[in-house]
Amino acid sequence: MADALISSTVKVTLERALSLASDRIGMLVGFKKDVASMTRSLRLINAVLADAEAKQNQDGAVQAWLECLEEVAYDATNVLDELKYESLRHKVESRNRHKLKVCCFFSFSNINLAFRWRMASKVRDIKLELSKINQEASDLGLASRSDVAAALPAAGDTRNRQTDSSVAPMIGRAKDESNILEMLLRPTEKVVSVLPINGMGGLGKTTLAKSIYNKQQIDEHFNKKLWVCVSKKVPIVDLFKLILLQLTEENFEVDDRNIIVGNIRNQLGGKRYFLVLDDVWDDDQALWDDFFSTLKGLNPINPPKGSWCLITTRSRAVADEGYPLGGLRGDHCWSIIKRKVVEGEEVPNELDAIKDRAIQICNGLPLVASVLGGLLRLRKDKWRSILEDRLLNLNGVMQILKLSFDNLPSPAVKKCFAYCSIFPQDTEMEGDMLIELWMAEGFLHAGLENKTMEEIGEYYLEILLQSSLLEEIRKYGRRRCYKMHDMVHEVSKSIMSKSTKFINSETGSGDNSNQVRCLVIDSFGEGAKSLFESRSNLLHTLFLSRGSLSDDMLMKLKNLHVLNLSGEENQNLPISIGKLRHLRYINFERSRSETLPESICKLYNLQTLRLKRIALKVLPKGMCNLISLRHLHYYTSDTEFQMPLEMGRLTCLQALEFFKVGREKGRRIGELGSLKNLKGELEIRNLELVNGKEEAEEANLFEKANLFRLQLEWARDREGGDYNDEDVLDGLRPHQNLEELVIENFMGDQFPRWLMELPTATTLPRLARLEFKWCHRCKELLPLQNFASLKELQIWSCDGLTNLPGDMLHSCASLQKLWVAYCNNLISFPLELQRTPSLLTLELFHCPKLKTSMTPKGFGFLTSLRELSIGPFSDDGDDHENSSIYNEFDWSGLISSSSSSSSSALRGLELIGLPHVESLPPQIQYLTTLTSLCLWDFEGIKALPDWFGNFAALEVLVLNGFKELGHLPSKDAVSRLTKLKRLSVSGSPLLKERCTSQSSGPDSQWSKVSHIQDLHMWD
């Protein structure tokens, strides 16, 4: 399997060399003929490569020839890349000298003489090596043949593809799921029970566990659930740290077991929890005895019963009894294959004809069925030949996975897949990061016309998803993350075994193969330093998670393309980084460094600079010289930060998270005008420094078709009153593809015509989210015309608004979330809710002058409403002694929509009161489907009414600011709240005193709440 990648590596490297040779570097005087000669040799070699690939497994000499060719191809690429770097350097320096000539052509005198002689020698050596390779190919009888590679599937538009994180439909495991759920939910006297799901790799243990984990019965039965992916043998302290990470979402650096367990006790001690340990490998019985003894002792006094730990593992040694998972039935495997191949369409006869053979190959393993389905989907041209010829002699999952790899439709896709092995098993790999890494390594240069490298990367990701070699995971909205099944990861790692080395304290340095191009180092020990010293000039990729690189070490990485130094322990980038001419990707995330060396601005090939979550306070002054930069991942809210000068020179830039407008030339908004390729999200700050509409138009936002989110900000605290905000905003009209727009601290009286005054058709047909924040001078918002795609509208702290029209949203039938809050002078908002039938969430709060009679009406039409937050409101009589401020609210419509059916019922209500209010609105007692009720600032209430017992579905009750509250509902009423899992009370000193185990007497409330496991009483 080690030979599986060499022909793909050679092919991709040759394609990259040819791409470089066809670039402007051929115009260098003195190199034109040399580059042309190299190009001819490369093409001759490329022509016989298909023949060599076909013969390599039968002929050791051909295999050796390919290995020699790989080395020479890398050398040729490096030489051509140096010439490209010199071309870029001359372009930058000429531009900086304000020369008028276009510098795609150099005279002899313009090129450093030493560089000329050095490169001439290198080019000569490469030509000789290529000539030798060509001769050897002839001697081996390698002939030109047409390379009949798999046709790439039709490329769709992947730029706007969105996914969700719902669990994929599970086939054939309903009985197993039911059996395990029954075990988990049955009454037990044990504090912690353990159930391992045992079985070989590929059976779907994790998929089954995920389905169980996401069941509503689990949410209702347990107070807390957490998922921990173990994926390797770990010391018990590290296992506890993984649990704590999931509980707190924070890394815990302390290694003291007592402290770690103490923190877990604070989170889990009083709760019945459901813990999933996924992908467990350690079969040390003593470790597991110790681990579960600790879990059982988290709450030694009166521990809650019924917690469970569900484990997925190939081992049978984790616990005495487990749930052995069997293989799927043949018809279920066939269902998985059909879903992958035809996606619900009619099964063609050709596919049905191979059904029996396909089922036989699956052998009851859903992973094999999914991978096989992906393979058949990609290679519809050779279904029968794949099943009859290639798989007859294969036994086992790994060989089938390898076959799927062999049938990927291009060498570049194979390289992209194999490269994923540099990440540890079970790593969630960010899609954009993968594409940036593939691009830096040169995998994304060929195959699709009129596509950017990023679009090609998106397409390759789609192919790997279709092949089931990657699995997409829901994560952070548009940010896509991927994982590999552990067996797929094993295949990718074995394919890359000759070219990638992993070094940590356990593995040592391994062999010193000449093919090592990727080095992943946990920390620098003697073995790591030895391999680093001997192979540094070969490396293309270096991942270093701990330790640092000295200037001397970095300078040895002459051919490095990818440098990953992310981590808090990596504090500084050495100055010598500017010498790495081939470098295209730097990841310096989470570093504590506050500066970057100016020499980084000499990296004219750099495409990606990742600086997220870094202490960095200033970017290097010469950032505008990074002429190839495409992705700058950096964000700071530091008010003292200034943009580097002339960012507009970075014409390749696609990812720029924010731009802060400055007064000086080179920092003005016009710098954005030449950044035509910007995509994703962009935040523009300090718009008060823009001098009117004409200057705003220089940003050319109207032309930036790939921006989906735009945030426009003015400074919040400004002196004077003569603002030009309306003119500026008028000049910032975005492209019609925009999906999200945020306008913050705008001080105009009204919004521009391109946003508000559109009588027939909107200029923003895709706009799904619109926010107005701190727009205090805005006097009115006109009806939003024809915003058919709008799903979310937020109006926050707009004190100039007094009235919002009832028909404001009459064209927003798709609206799902409406949020109007902290508008201190809003009096009227009689919204016609029948116009917004899709509304899921309505939040209308902290608008103290809003009259209840002028609040939205028509709740009966909102059959999809799930969350409602309201109050406090005003009324004509200003009677705040009771709940009359809510009397004119449309409770009847709300009650009718909630009681129509359980599937269309309100789930969450948040109600905010006023000081001295002595009773709750009685109408809420009829909202019996509520699962969450939050009540704020009803300061005059002394006791909660017994109708609270009507909330039979209530799971969470939050009471804040009930200063006079001393009594909960009667014990009988509380006893009817059988699903209540959490009670949180703050700002009720008397009730807090009465809800302790030490309280006694007739006023004690302890007996009413003692059974609630998640009970919090705050001051």
Side-chain angles (χ1 to χ4, degrees):
M1 198 173 289
D3 298 334
L5 199 60
I6 188 167
S7 57
S8 295
T9 299
V10 172
K11 182 73 173 175
V12 171
T13 308
L14 287 177
E15 292 286 355
R16 173 156 167 69
L18 287 166
S19 175
L20 286 168
S22 66
D23 208 346
R24 292 184 297 182
I25 58 175
M27 299 298 292
L28 288 165
V29 172
F31 292 108
K32 185 175 181 180
K33 290 183 179 180
D34 292 320
V35 171
S37 175
M38 289 175 63
T39 301
R40 286 192 297 272
S41 296
L42 289 166
R43 284 177 176 157
L44 287 170
I45 295 169
N46 206 22
V48 302
L49 194 57
D51 194 29
E53 182 177 8
K55 295 176 179 179
Q56 63 171 318
N57 291 328
Q58 291 79 35
D59 193 333
V62 173
Q63 176 72 29
W65 179 83
L66 280 169
E67 291 176 3
C68 291
L69 175 55
E70 177 187 13
E71 204 164 331
V72 175
Y74 272 121
D75 290 342
T77 304
N78 289 335
V79 168
L80 291 168
D81 204 32
E82 282 194 62
L83 292 174
K84 179 187 178 185
Y85 177 89
E86 187 65 17
S87 170
L88 293 173
R89 183 191 67 80
H90 192 78
K91 180 179 179 180
V92 170
E93 292 182 0
S94 297
R95 186 182 63 184
N96 290 344
R97 291 194 298 267
H98 303 289
K99 289 198 172 182
L100 299 178
K101 284 187 178 181
V102 177
C103 302
C104 60
F105 168 111
F106 304 155
S107 68
F108 179 86
S109 59
N110 284 335
I111 304 173
N112 180 283
L113 191 58
F115 171 80
R116 278 189 52 78
W117 285 111
R118 179 166 57 85
M119 293 308 297
S121 175
K122 286 187 176 184
V123 169
R124 184 171 58 250
D125 291 344
I126 293 296
K127 286 169 61 180
L128 288 172
E129 289 295 326
L130 289 174
S131 178
K132 181 181 175 182
I133 289 287
N134 263 319
Q135 183 59 50
E136 290 176 354
S138 179
D139 295 343
L140 289 168
L142 298 179
S144 175
R145 63 156 74 178
S146 58
D147 185 4
V148 188
L152 285 168
D157 182 3
T158 59
R159 288 172 296 177
N160 295 316
R161 181 173 54 84
Q162 296 188 44
T163 61
D164 61 16
S165 61
S166 56
V167 178
M170 187 175 59
I171 294 176
R173 295 295 186 196
K175 184 176 181 180
D176 294 310
E177 182 180 79
S178 177
N179 290 341
I180 293 174
L181 276 172
E182 193 275 328
M183 296 169 71
L184 297 175
L185 301 178
R186 70 169 63 132
T188 177
E189 288 301 309
K190 291 184 178 180
V191 176
V192 181
S193 302
V194 185
L195 180 62
I197 302 176
N198 307 112
M200 66 179 292
L203 275 171
K205 300 182 294 295
T206 296
T207 302
L208 176 59
K210 278 185 180 178
S211 181
I212 293 167
Y213 185 82
N214 285 282
K215 287 295 179 183
Q216 183 178 347
Q217 300 101 298
I218 293 293
D219 293 335
E220 292 174 351
H221 185 75
F222 295 97
N223 306 117
K224 188 79 174 179
K225 66 177 184 178
L226 60 158
W227 181 284
V228 177
C229 183
V230 184
S231 80
K232 60 181 180 181
K233 291 185 177 182
V234 295
I236 191 169
V237 171
D238 289 352
L239 185 56
F240 285 128
K241 288 171 79 170
L242 286 172
I243 292 173
L244 190 57
L245 173 63
Q246 293 303 313
L247 288 169
T248 64
E249 298 184 355
E250 295 179 359
N251 281 309
F252 203 73
E253 300 300 331
V254 177
D255 290 321
D256 188 305
R257 174 170 170 170
N258 288 328
I259 296 176
I260 296 168
V261 172
N263 279 273
I264 295 175
R265 179 181 296 111
N266 293 338
Q267 298 283 334
L268 295 179
K271 299 180 177 66
R272 181 167 63 215
Y273 58 84
F274 179 53
L275 167 64
V276 176
L277 297 180
D278 182 43
D279 201 13
V280 168
W281 289 78
D282 205 316
D283 56 4
D284 183 349
Q285 190 63 53
L287 180 146
W288 293 112
D289 290 344
D290 186 11
F291 175 76
F292 290 118
S293 293
T294 301
L295 289 187
K296 293 172 184 177
L298 288 178
N299 193 353
I301 302 175
N302 192 28
K305 307 290 194 302
S307 293
W308 275 91
C309 179
L310 185 67
I311 299 173
T312 68
T313 179
R314 299 186 197 180
S315 170
R316 295 182 178 272
V318 176
D320 294 334
E321 297 182 8
Y323 188 92
L325 195 61
L328 284 185
R329 293 202 326 249
D331 57 330
H332 291 145
C333 289
W334 182 240
S335 296
I336 294 173
I337 293 172
K338 287 192 300 181
R339 189 176 65 190
K340 291 290 292 188
V341 179
V342 297
E343 293 185 313
E345 298 178 6
E346 186 176 348
V347 177
N349 293 334
E350 295 86 351
L351 182 61
D352 202 49
I354 59 175
K355 173 181 177 180
D356 292 341
R357 180 64 181 131
I359 290 174
Q360 179 187 359
I361 291 165
C362 291
N363 196 28
L365 297 177
L367 174 63
V368 174
S370 184
V371 172
L372 182 59
L375 171 58
L376 296 174
R377 173 181 177 140
L378 288 176
R379 300 304 304 266
K380 292 182 179 180
D381 56 322
K382 48 192 308 186
W383 281 349
R384 186 171 293 278
S385 63
I386 286 175
L387 294 184
E388 292 185 354
D389 299 335
R390 299 292 302 277
L391 288 178
L392 280 174
N393 299 317
L394 295 183
N395 295 299
V397 181
M398 304 300 280
Q399 291 86 349
I400 296 172
L401 293 175
K402 170 61 169 55
L403 178 67
S404 183
F405 166 79
D406 288 340
N407 278 274
L408 286 173
S410 78
V413 179
K414 292 179 181 180
K415 289 288 289 181
C416 290
F417 165 73
Y419 194 83
C420 295
S421 68
I422 66 173
F423 294 99
Q425 185 175 305
D426 283 315
T427 296
E428 294 184 356
M429 300 172 286
E430 185 182 339
D432 289 340
M433 179 184 290
L434 278 179
I435 291 171
E436 290 160 6
L437 288 166
W438 295 343
M439 182 169 60
E441 282 281 9
F443 303 157
L444 306 180
H445 278 276
L448 297 172
E449 294 182 0
N450 302 319
K451 294 285 187 182
T452 66
M453 289 187 285
E454 290 80 5
E455 288 169 343
I456 294 172
E458 290 273 4
Y459 176 48
Y460 288 177
L461 278 172
E462 189 67 29
I463 290 173
L464 294 176
L465 281 172
Q466 291 177 6
S467 305
S468 293
L469 296 177
L470 283 184
E471 172 193 358
E472 189 167 14
I473 300 169
R474 174 187 63 177
K475 199 80 170 177
Y476 312 125
R478 284 179 172 263
R479 180 185 162 207
R480 301 146 303 129
C481 287
Y482 302 85
K483 282 182 75 170
M484 279 181 165
H485 188 280
D486 54 1
M487 299 186 76
V488 176
H489 187 269
E490 289 176 32
V491 170
S492 68
K493 198 168 180 178
S494 65
I495 289 170
M496 285 281 281
S497 60
K498 281 194 173 181
S499 60
T500 303
K501 292 302 170 192
F502 301 87
I503 302 176
N504 56 40
S505 57
E506 296 178 3
T507 62
S509 61
D511 65 79
N512 290 348
S513 168
N514 282 333
Q515 292 178 272
V516 174
R517 305 288 174 181
C518 301
L519 191 56
V520 181
I521 303 176
D522 184 40
S523 60
F524 266 119
E526 289 305 315
K529 289 180 180 178
S530 173
L531 182 60
F532 183 88
E533 293 284 346
S534 61
R535 294 292 174 262
S536 56
N537 64 318
L538 298 176
L539 293 180
H540 272 210
T541 291
L542 175 63
F543 276 47
L544 177 62
S545 57
R546 292 191 185 93
S548 58
L549 290 173
S550 66
D551 268 311
D552 291 341
M553 296 170 75
L554 199 60
M555 287 184 69
K556 294 175 181 177
L557 300 169
K558 296 178 181 179
N559 296 312
L560 199 68
H561 285 59
V562 171
L563 179 61
N564 188 331
L565 295 175
S566 61
E568 295 180 1
E569 295 188 19
N570 298 321
Q571 297 186 25
N572 291 294
L573 278 178
I575 294 174
S576 60
I577 195 167
K579 301 287 186 182
L580 304 185
R581 296 182 166 201
H582 304 284
L583 199 58
R584 285 166 164 75
Y585 176 99
I586 298 175
N587 188 331
F588 202 41
E589 295 179 344
R590 301 192 306 277
S591 168
R592 288 177 285 178
S593 177
E594 296 186 358
T595 59
L596 294 177
E598 283 294 328
S599 61
I600 203 173
C601 300
K602 292 184 178 181
L603 299 175
Y604 306 129
N605 275 317
L606 191 68
Q607 298 166 335
T608 301
L609 183 56
R610 284 187 164 263
L611 302 170
K612 291 184 177 180
R613 300 182 296 281
I614 189 174
L616 193 69
K617 293 184 177 180
V618 61
L619 290 173
K621 295 177 182 178
M623 287 286 292
C624 63
N625 292 332
L626 295 175
I627 193 170
S628 301
L629 193 65
R630 303 168 77 90
H631 303 279
L632 175 58
H633 299 287
Y634 174 67
Y635 187 91
T636 180
S637 54
D638 185 358
T639 56
E640 301 299 318
F641 175 83
Q642 286 190 318
M643 298 298 296
L645 289 169
E646 298 182 307
M647 291 289 284
R649 290 188 179 186
L650 304 180
T651 54
C652 295
L653 201 61
Q654 296 184 22
L656 177 66
E657 299 190 12
F658 74 97
F659 183 87
K660 185 177 179 181
V661 178
R663 298 182 186 278
E664 306 91 334
K665 184 179 180 181
R667 291 195 173 101
R668 295 171 186 163
I669 198 168
E671 294 297 315
L672 292 171
S674 56
L675 304 183
K676 300 182 184 300
N677 299 306
L678 288 181
K679 67 178 185 179
E681 304 182 29
L682 176 63
E683 180 181 310
I684 308 177
R685 305 179 196 157
N686 282 22
L687 287 170
E688 70 279 1
L689 300 182
V690 179
N691 295 316
K693 178 179 179 179
E694 187 174 337
E695 184 178 342
E697 288 176 337
E698 294 177 9
N700 288 333
L701 294 184
F702 184 71
E703 299 178 1
K704 302 187 191 324
N706 293 319
L707 284 178
F708 77 82
R709 184 180 190 274
L710 182 63
Q711 183 161 331
L712 303 174
E713 291 185 21
W714 286 256
R716 185 175 299 186
D717 300 316
R718 287 185 271 167
E719 297 178 358
D722 187 16
Y723 303 128
N724 66 350
D725 295 20
E726 289 184 22
D727 286 341
V728 171
L729 186 57
D730 198 21
L732 294 175
R733 177 177 176 174
H735 190 276
Q736 63 178 10
N737 287 348
L738 195 73
E739 296 178 24
E740 298 182 16
L741 177 62
V742 180
I743 299 174
E744 194 168 312
N745 302 318
F746 172 74
M747 295 297 281
D749 291 339
Q750 58 185 5
F751 292 99
R753 180 178 176 80
W754 58 259
L755 181 61
M756 305 300 295
E757 299 177 15
L758 302 164
T760 55
T762 178
T763 53
L764 299 172
R766 298 184 181 182
L767 195 70
R769 187 167 183 240
L770 180 59
E771 293 184 36
F772 302 106
K773 296 181 177 181
W774 297 290
C775 301
H776 291 308
R777 287 198 171 190
C778 180
K779 297 291 193 297
E780 64 175 349
L781 283 178
L782 298 176
L784 299 177
Q785 303 281 351
N786 297 307
F787 279 88
S789 299
L790 194 67
K791 293 183 178 180
E792 182 174 339
L793 174 64
Q794 293 192 26
I795 303 172
W796 178 284
S797 294
C798 295
D799 287 348
L801 292 174
T802 56
N803 298 284
L804 290 173
D807 61 349
M808 188 178 81
L809 302 176
H810 70 89
S811 297
C812 302
S814 299
L815 194 71
Q816 296 179 355
K817 180 175 181 179
L818 175 60
W819 187 355
V820 180
Y822 298 99
C823 295
N824 291 323
N825 294 304
L826 185 65
I827 297 172
S828 171
F829 187 26
L831 184 65
E832 301 166 4
L833 292 175
Q834 63 266 36
R835 304 284 190 174
T836 57
S838 303
L839 210 59
L840 298 173
T841 301
L842 173 59
E843 301 191 12
L844 182 59
F845 59 89
H846 288 297
C847 299
K849 295 183 180 179
L850 181 61
K851 297 183 180 296
T852 314
S853 59
M854 301 303 288
T855 54
K857 298 292 190 293
F859 278 93
F861 295 97
L862 301 185
T863 57
S864 298
L865 191 68
R866 293 293 176 269
E867 305 289 336
L868 177 65
S869 299
I870 55 173
F873 299 136
S874 175
D875 68 357
D876 295 327
D878 292 328
D879 180 6
H880 296 159
E881 298 302 320
N882 53 52
S883 60
S884 65
I885 59 169
Y886 287 105
N887 282 349
E888 295 188 58
F889 187 75
D890 184 19
W891 293 110
S892 59
L894 190 64
I895 293 168
S896 68
S897 67
S898 291
S899 60
S900 59
S901 72
S902 60
S903 62
S904 62
L906 191 69
R907 297 288 186 265
L909 175 65
E910 184 174 13
L911 197 61
I912 305 171
L914 287 169
H916 313 303
V917 169
E918 296 180 355
S919 63
L920 292 168
Q923 296 91 337
I924 68 174
Q925 67 182 292
Y926 303 109
L927 302 175
T928 55
T929 59
L930 289 177
T931 60
S932 174
L933 177 61
C934 299
L935 303 171
W936 295 72
D937 299 330
F938 287 86
E939 297 183 7
I941 294 178
K942 296 181 179 180
L944 294 183
D946 281 356
W947 47 252
F948 261 72
N950 297 345
F951 299 132
L954 198 65
E955 298 175 10
V956 176
L957 176 60
V958 178
L959 306 172
N960 286 310
F962 282 63
K963 290 185 177 180
E964 301 295 324
L965 187 63
H967 291 273
L968 295 170
S970 68
K971 191 171 183 178
D972 177 63
V974 172
S975 69
R976 301 205 304 272
L977 304 179
T978 56
K979 293 190 176 181
L980 188 64
K981 292 191 280 188
R982 181 169 184 259
L983 173 62
S984 177
V985 179
S986 65
S988 303
L990 185 57
L991 183 62
K992 179 186 177 184
E993 180 182 324
R994 293 174 176 177
C995 285
T996 65
S997 56
Q998 292 79 28
S999 63
S1000 58
D1003 290 329
S1004 174
Q1005 305 293 298
W1006 177 243
S1007 62
K1008 301 176 184 178
V1009 299
S1010 59
H1011 67 286
I1012 302 174
Q1013 293 183 357
D1014 196 358
L1015 176 65
H1016 296 281
M1017 293 283 173
W1018 313 95
D1019 292 329

